[in-house]
């Protein structure tokens, strides 16, 4: 029985002299990780409207034959060729057209000869009209013959000009500068008037036909900047050229036509995503690498004066250039962990890069 008070006294002394296990662990804990930190930054970012749609030609030109019944003798370009306005694309057999041209030239010479003869007769008739040497009927006949000959010459000249136009049409040229996107012209084929031979993208200009929600339509106007994600994650700038006045009854979305920069030539027919920039608003941002996703919730870790981290839940907004907007409250003076946050736990002790 005397040993019980002795054991109790020893236990109390041990509690006073020795630290608790938790305090001992805290004093001897080592930093689990070296991290980089950065303070949140206030930036001026434009509010954006997400959109998606097809890349299509700004304007497409159809190159067709204007004269029919002739055989293709030369095809001078192919799909992918860059052409200039007026550049020859196809030549047609022109032997028959040249023969008709010579025939019309001969007809014009004949008409001019007839005109010279009838004009001479008309001049003589005018000179003797007052003397009565010729009857009024004969004089009228000479004058009418002169007018008929003048009309015949004009008709022959018009026929000759028409034949020259047909000869020019045997060489089919580009209607504008652009890029050939399709070709149906085949060597040796006999074309008919109006048959399509080529299609080209005028001036190589491609536009983005972006679909946006109808509720966003009143906020979008001509001249706003846009950015799309092109092939290979390439960013392509553009400008709103036209806003469609109608909304699709099937999808509830409207088309916004975005003209892309002239120096960019993305492939036509791609379906791409992007955004249209609206008014500029301030945004509190952190590096995107600072975000930690756990159970579908976004967090950041902040480092306190004691070099222990605190896990802070955040709501995110816009993203731009590797940074993300923080919509929830976050102290602008906080030091946010930018690397290594995925390996941290709340209240973990860390070492900050650049510090001893």
């Amino acid at each position: 029985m005397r040993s019980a008070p002795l054991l109790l006294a020893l236990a109390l002394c041990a509690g006073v002299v020795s630290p608790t296990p938790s305090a001992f662990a805290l004093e001897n804990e080592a930093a689990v990780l070296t991290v980089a930190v950065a303070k949140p930054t206030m930036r001026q970012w434009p509010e954006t409207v997400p959109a998606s749609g097809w890349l299509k030609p700004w304007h497409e030109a159809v190159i067709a034959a204007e004269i029919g019944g002739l055989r293709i003798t030369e095809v001078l370009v192919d799909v992918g060729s860059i052409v200039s306005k007026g550049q020859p694309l196809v030549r047609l057999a022109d032997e028959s057209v040249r023969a008709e041209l010579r025939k019309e030239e001969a007809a014009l010479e004949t008409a001019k000869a007839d005109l010279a003869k009838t004009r001479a007769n008309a001049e003589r008739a005018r000179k003797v009209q007052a003397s009565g040497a010729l009857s009024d009927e004969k004089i009228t006949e000479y004058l009418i013959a002169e007018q008929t000959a003048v009309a015949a010459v004009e008709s022959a000249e018009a026929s000759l000009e028409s034949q020259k136009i047909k000869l020019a049409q045997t060489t089919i040229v580009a209607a504008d500068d652009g890029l050939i996107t399709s070709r149906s012209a085949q060597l040796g084929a006999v074309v008919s008037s109006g048959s399509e031979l080529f299609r080209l993208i005028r001036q190589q200009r491609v536009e983005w036909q972006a679909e946006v929600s109808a509720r966003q339509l009143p906020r979008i106007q001509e001249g706003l900047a846009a950015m799309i994600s092109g092939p290979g994650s390439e960013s392509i700038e553009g400008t709103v050229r036209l806003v469609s006045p109608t909304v699709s009854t099937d999808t509830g979305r409207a088309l916004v036509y975005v003209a892309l920069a002239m120096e960019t030539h993305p492939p036509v027919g791609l379906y791409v995503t992007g955004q249209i920039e609206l008014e500029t608003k301030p945004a509190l941002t952190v590096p995107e690498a600072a975000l930690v996703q756990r159970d579908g919730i976004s967090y950041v870790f902040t480092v306190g004066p004691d070099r222990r981290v605190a896990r802070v839940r955040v709501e995110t907004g816009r993203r731009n250039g590797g940074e993300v907007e923080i919509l929830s409250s976050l102290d602008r003076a906080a030091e946010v962990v930018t690397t290594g946050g995925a390996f941290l736990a709340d209240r973990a002790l860390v070492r900050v890069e650049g510090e001893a």
Side-chain angles (χ1 to χ4, degrees), residues 187-208:
L187 187 67
V190 177
V191 301
S192 57
S193 179
S195 59
E196 179 183 317
L197 301 178
F198 298 96
R199 283 180 181 262
L200 66 81
I201 300 175
R202 292 185 57 195
Q203 301 173 22
Q204 300 187 66
R205 288 176 59 182
V206 178
E207 69 178 10
W208 179 37

Side-chain angles (χ1 to χ4, degrees), residues 44 58 67 69 81 92-93 122 160 175 225 255 282 293 312 322 330:
Q44 294 295 324
W58 165 63
I67 187 173
S81 299
L92 306 178
L160 179 60
L255 280 180
Q293 297 288 334
V312 180
L330 181 65

Side-chain angles (χ1 to χ4, degrees), residues 15 26 44 48 69 113 123 156 171 207 209 217 240 270 303 310 329 339:
L26 289 175
Q44 294 295 324
T48 60
E123 286 297 325
T171 300
E207 69 178 10
Q209 296 184 8
L217 199 58
V240 175
L270 289 181
V303 179
S329 59
T339 58

Side-chain angles (χ1 to χ4, degrees), residues 131-165:
S131 65
L134 291 175
S135 64
D136 291 341
E137 182 180 358
K138 196 65 175 176
I139 292 173
T140 301
E141 181 182 341
Y142 285 146
L143 295 178
I144 291 175
E146 180 187 27
Q147 293 175 355
T148 303
V150 169
V153 169
E154 292 177 351
S155 176
E157 288 175 341
S159 297
L160 179 60
E161 185 65 28
S162 175
Q163 203 60 36
K164 288 180 179 179
I165 292 174

Side-chain angles (χ1 to χ4, degrees), residues 5 8 45 88 94 101 160 189 201 205 226 239 268 273 296 311 331 343:
L8 178 61
W45 276 3
D94 60 0
L101 179 63
L160 179 60
I201 300 175
R205 288 176 59 182
T239 305
V268 173
T273 59
R311 190 176 71 173
D331 186 0
F343 304 101

Side-chain angles (χ1 to χ4, degrees), residues 83-340:
V83 299
S84 302
K85 184 176 182 178
Q87 178 180 334
L89 307 180
V90 166
R91 298 191 195 278
L92 306 178
D94 60 0
E95 294 85 355
S96 60
V97 180
R98 291 185 181 277
E100 286 293 327
L101 179 63
R102 290 193 296 271
K103 181 179 178 181
E104 295 298 337
E105 288 174 342
L108 177 59
E109 293 302 320
T110 301
K112 287 181 177 179
D114 290 342
L115 175 60
K117 179 181 177 181
T118 56
R119 183 165 285 167
N121 291 337
E123 286 297 325
R124 284 195 296 270
R126 291 188 187 96
K127 288 178 181 179
V128 301
Q129 185 175 13
S131 65
L134 291 175
S135 64
D136 291 341
E137 182 180 358
K138 196 65 175 176
I139 292 173
T140 301
E141 181 182 341
Y142 285 146
L143 295 178
I144 291 175
E146 180 187 27
Q147 293 175 355
T148 303
V150 169
V153 169
E154 292 177 351
S155 176
E157 288 175 341
S159 297
L160 179 60
E161 185 65 28
S162 175
Q163 203 60 36
K164 288 180 179 179
I165 292 174
K166 288 183 178 180
L167 179 62
Q169 289 172 347
T170 60
T171 300
I172 298 169
V173 300
D176 198 357
D177 299 345
L179 175 70
I180 300 292
T181 57
S182 72
R183 164 194 156 185
S184 53
Q186 299 295 329
L187 187 67
V190 177
V191 301
S192 57
S193 179
S195 59
E196 179 183 317
L197 301 178
F198 298 96
R199 283 180 181 262
L200 66 81
I201 300 175
R202 292 185 57 195
Q203 301 173 22
Q204 300 187 66
R205 288 176 59 182
V206 178
E207 69 178 10
W208 179 37
Q209 296 184 8
E211 292 184 351
V212 299
S213 172
R215 61 187 178 85
Q216 299 286 1
L217 199 58
R219 309 176 65 192
I220 300 174
Q221 57 188 358
E222 296 178 15
L224 290 179
M227 183 73 71
I228 69 172
S229 299
S233 300
E234 174 191 7
S235 295
I236 302 176
E237 296 180 355
T239 305
V240 175
R241 177 180 69 86
L242 181 66
V243 180
S244 174
T246 60
V247 177
S248 171
T249 55
D250 296 328
T251 63
R253 300 173 72 82
L255 280 180
V256 176
Y257 298 86
V258 177
L260 304 184
M262 291 288 291
E263 62 272 10
T264 61
H265 305 293
V268 173
L270 289 181
Y271 192 82
V272 297
T273 59
Q275 56 193 17
I276 299 171
E277 299 180 356
L278 303 178
E279 58 182 329
T280 299
K281 291 183 177 180
L284 183 66
T285 68
V286 298
E288 200 165 3
L291 289 182
V292 177
Q293 297 288 334
R294 291 181 180 171
D295 299 326
I297 300 174
S298 297
Y299 298 93
V300 296
F301 284 94
T302 60
V303 179
D306 58 355
R307 291 299 177 255
R308 293 189 179 275
V309 298
R311 190 176 71 173
V312 180
R313 180 173 176 172
V314 293
E315 299 294 331
T316 60
R318 296 167 285 175
R319 296 173 187 252
N320 183 20
E323 296 193 338
V324 61
E325 179 185 15
I326 302 300
L327 300 178
S328 54
S329 59
L330 181 65
D331 186 0
R332 291 180 59 180
E335 292 187 327
V336 177
V337 175
T338 59
T339 58

